[in-house]
Amino acid sequence: AFIPRAGSFSCRLNCGAIIERPGLCDSCASDRAEAEQNESLRAALASIPEEFKWAHANAPELAERVSLFRGKSARAIAKLITLAAQERMILIYGTGGPGKTVLACAILRVIIDASRFPAAGLAYDEGRFARFYAARSLAPRDWRESQDPSANVQASPLGASARGRTMLLDDVGQEGGDDFKA
């Protein structure tokens, strides 16, 4: 293999840095890796419904919108959500209106944010494959995609859950339609 002799080379991105070998300086290489890793999390963030994009562990609205958090400090709420995000399985249930979906979206957001650069390995994959799905959107193709390793993981809940570790399935029991969905 050809390895160029050490010398004085300009960074390929023309940032003005001088390096020993041709290529990118450490700063530009780190910036590029961060941009690539954060870009790969875009699909996970896009899966969160527009009306819940604001929900994250430090959102001041959580105390008002989630009945479980009424009267708690923002710091205590953030700690509870962060701890919940570390659990292997979470089931949030109850009647309509206490903030189940808001809480679930905040937990999902913590998982995605923990996957940002410089996260590596399982932590990164957890956020990259995390998805929000409404149970009423399930379709018969979901089962086939979960069994096909070459299927697009963004295409369906079961397909994503077969490969990823984090899936938020909302409104279970409101699927409607045929027996397959039920």
Side-chain angles (χ1 to χ4, degrees):
F2 173 74
I3 299 176
R5 183 178 287 176
S8 295
F9 299 92
S10 294
C11 175
R12 270 194 203 144
L13 295 181
N14 295 323
C15 68
I18 304 297
I19 52 180
E20 286 185 16
R21 306 223 184 265
L24 299 176
C25 66
D26 291 342
S27 176
C28 288
S30 177
D31 289 349
R32 180 177 277 182
E34 180 176 1
E36 288 172 0
Q37 192 162 347
N38 289 339
E39 175 64 27
S40 69
L41 297 173
R42 184 183 300 211
L45 286 170
S47 75
I48 298 173
E50 200 60 43
E51 65 266 25
F52 300 110
K53 296 258 188 223
W54 62 269
H56 56 83
N58 296 317
E61 299 96 335
L62 282 176
E64 301 163 16
R65 298 218 183 162
V66 179
S67 61
L68 175 70
F69 295 147
R70 293 216 172 93
K72 293 197 181 333
S73 70
R75 186 175 178 189
I77 293 170
K79 185 176 180 179
L80 287 170
I81 290 174
T82 303
L83 287 172
Q86 296 171 6
E87 291 298 323
R88 195 170 153 84
M89 179 185 239
I90 303 170
L91 176 63
I92 304 170
Y93 66 94
T95 60
K100 298 179 302 291
T101 302
V102 170
L103 175 58
C105 286
I107 292 169
L108 186 64
R109 188 69 174 269
V110 167
I111 292 168
I112 294 168
D113 289 344
S115 303
R116 294 194 179 281
F117 189 81
L122 289 178
Y124 170 61
D125 283 343
E126 184 131 358
R128 189 166 58 118
F129 292 116
R131 295 291 183 275
F132 177 101
Y133 292 104
R136 61 183 169 268
S137 70
L138 292 174
R141 74 169 199 277
D142 298 334
W143 174 253
R144 289 191 303 274
E145 289 175 359
S146 71
Q147 302 304 306
D148 179 7
S150 64
N152 181 358
V153 295
Q154 285 86 357
S156 69
L158 290 175
S161 67
R163 288 175 211 64
R165 294 178 32 156
T166 303
M167 180 179 72
L168 169 55
L169 188 58
D170 193 28
D171 294 333
V172 175
Q174 297 181 10
E175 298 83 0
D178 61 14
D179 289 338
F180 175 83
K181 286 186 179 183

